[in-house]
Amino acid sequence: MAWTTATTPVERDFASNRMLQSLTALCLGVWTWAAIDPVSRSDWLLENLLIFAGAGLLVVIYRTRPISDAAHVFVAAFWILHVIGSHYTYSEVPLGRWLQDALEMDRNHYDRVVHFAFGLLLTYPVRELLMRTTGMRGGVSLFLAFAVMVASSETYELIEWIVASIVSPEDAIAFLGTQGDVFDAQKDTGLAMLGTLVALAGIAAIERR
C-alpha cells in the first residue's frame, strides 16, 4: 500500500496497511511498558483518561473519515511522549531531569516539551481531518486548524483541573505538574500555540511549493 498524506485518498484497510499495524503495535508496546509499575499508579490512571479517550476517538475516525499514514505517524509520536510522561509523572521523567541538571534549570521541563509537541504534532492530523470532513483548503483550513488546536489546549487545561480536583484531590499537584509555577497553565497553552504556529508555517511552506 502506498504512503498516504493529507492530499491523497485514504482507504479503510487495516489488514493490509503495514505502516498502521506497526504504529499500533509500537504504541501498544509502549503503553504496556508504561502500565507496569509506574511511579504513581493514581497519576498514571488520571493521565490515561486522555489515552483511553484518544484511542476511542481514533477508532471512530478510522471507521468514518480515515486519516493518512502521515497523520497517524504524528499522532503516534505524541501518544508515545504522553505515555512516557504518564509512567514517570511528568515532573519525574528522566530525560527532563537530565536536561534540568545539565542546563541548571529550576524545574523539569518535560511537560513543556509535550505541550509544545501537542501543537507541533497534532496540528497536521487535525487540519487533515477538517479538510476531509468539510472540504476546506488553503488559508481557511489553516486558520480553522489553529482555532481548534488553541481551543483544545485551553479546554484540556480546564478538564485537567476539574478531573484532578474531583477524581483525586490528593494527587492533583502531581497530575497538574505545576512544580510550583503559578503560571503553568498559561505557559502550557502558550507553548501549544507556538507548536501549532510552527506546524502551520511548515504546512503552508510545503503546500506553497
Side-chain angles (χ1 to χ4, degrees), residues 6-160:
T7 57
T8 58
V10 177
E11 296 181 359
R12 290 189 295 272
D13 191 9
F14 184 82
S16 62
N17 191 327
R18 297 291 180 255
M19 168 64 72
L20 190 52
Q21 291 173 6
S22 298
L23 289 175
T24 301
L26 175 62
C27 288
L28 286 176
V30 174
W31 184 85
T32 301
W33 161 80
I36 299 173
D37 194 26
V39 171
S40 170
R41 177 61 66 183
S42 58
D43 182 72
W44 178 86
L45 288 171
L46 288 174
E47 296 287 2
N48 272 264
L49 293 176
L50 178 63
I51 292 293
F52 299 144
L57 180 60
L58 283 173
V59 171
V60 171
I61 290 173
Y62 188 74
R63 290 180 175 178
T64 58
R65 189 73 64 173
I67 53 179
S68 66
D69 294 332
H72 279 117
V73 168
F74 287 125
V75 172
F78 178 75
W79 170 294
I80 290 171
L81 289 173
H82 177 69
V83 167
I84 292 173
S86 75
H87 177 80
Y88 291 105
T89 76
Y90 273 91
S91 59
E92 300 295 335
V93 175
L95 176 60
R97 284 294 186 194
W98 178 80
L99 288 174
Q100 181 181 2
D101 295 338
L103 302 178
E104 299 183 350
M105 295 184 293
D106 59 349
R107 73 190 300 279
N108 186 326
H109 285 280
Y110 184 81
D111 62 325
R112 303 273 197 251
V113 172
V114 175
H115 279 281
F116 177 77
F118 172 83
L120 183 68
L121 298 175
L122 296 189
T123 296
Y124 184 96
V126 166
R127 195 245 182 169
E128 178 181 332
L129 185 59
L130 289 171
M131 290 169 60
R132 294 187 184 279
T133 302
T134 66
M136 292 181 180
R137 295 291 186 273
V140 175
S141 65
L142 292 173
F143 174 77
L144 187 56
F146 173 78
V148 170
M149 291 301 297
V150 173
S152 298
S153 176
E154 185 58 38
T155 299
Y156 172 75
E157 293 295 332
L158 293 173
I159 292 174
E160 188 179 51

